[in-house]
Amino acid sequence: MRLLTHNMLSSNIKGVANGFPLLIEVEKVIEKQVDFNPDFLKNIFPKIEWNALVQASRSMGYAELPEESPESSMLDSDDFLRKFHHALLELHLEEGALVCPETGRKFPVNKGIPNMLLHEDEV
């Protein structure tokens, strides 16, 4: 599961007011090469919740992103775009879990696929 996907997921358990961002418990991370596309990165940047991306990338062992949300002028920096690209698209959570920040409920990730199905009592 890419961090791009993680940035779009939240816990939808009944009664949960704050199910985003999901915490990551890592068992296995892999890196997959993806073609560098600066235009895609510039277009997706405003849609990304920056603090969630930084927290997720750090939990996966990647600490190259700035803590504070960068100014839009940083999108002209090739160095920044490559770091953003690596965190967003090339880091994959292969095995582990996503954890609801409010309830602690763990959603397993197996072979890179998060299982977000809820139990009957959570719907």
Side-chain angles (χ1 to χ4, degrees), residues 37-104:
N37 183 340
D39 292 331
F40 171 77
L41 296 169
K42 290 174 184 179
N43 287 324
I44 198 72
F45 180 78
K47 298 172 180 78
I48 296 297
E49 170 39 60
W50 188 258
N51 291 334
L53 177 64
V54 170
Q55 177 185 358
S57 66
R58 290 193 190 329
S59 71
M60 291 175 63
Y62 186 71
E64 297 296 316
L65 295 177
E67 192 73 36
E68 298 297 318
S69 182
E71 300 290 324
S72 57
S73 63
M74 288 293 289
L75 296 175
D76 295 327
S77 164
D78 190 62
D79 184 54
F80 169 75
L81 284 178
R82 289 192 181 277
K83 290 175 182 178
F84 180 46
H85 166 83
H86 182 72
L88 197 65
L89 302 172
E90 294 184 331
L91 293 177
H92 287 254
L93 179 63
E94 190 69 8
E95 301 291 332
L98 302 176
V99 182
C100 175
E102 191 171 311
T103 66

Side-chain angles (χ1 to χ4, degrees), residues 2 7-9 20 22 24 26 29 32 40 42 46 52 62 65 70 93-94 108 112 116 122:
R2 293 178 175 160
N7 207 269
M8 308 290 171
L9 294 175
F20 181 85
L22 295 166
I24 297 177
V26 175
V29 174
K32 295 181 181 177
F40 171 77
K42 290 174 184 179
Y62 186 71
L65 295 177
L93 179 63
E94 190 69 8
M116 300 296 293
E122 296 173 325

Side-chain angles (χ1 to χ4, degrees), residues 25-42:
E25 288 185 358
V26 175
E27 289 179 26
K28 181 180 179 185
V29 174
I30 60 174
E31 292 184 19
K32 295 181 181 177
Q33 287 285 75
V34 176
D35 290 338
F36 181 65
N37 183 340
D39 292 331
F40 171 77
L41 296 169
K42 290 174 184 179

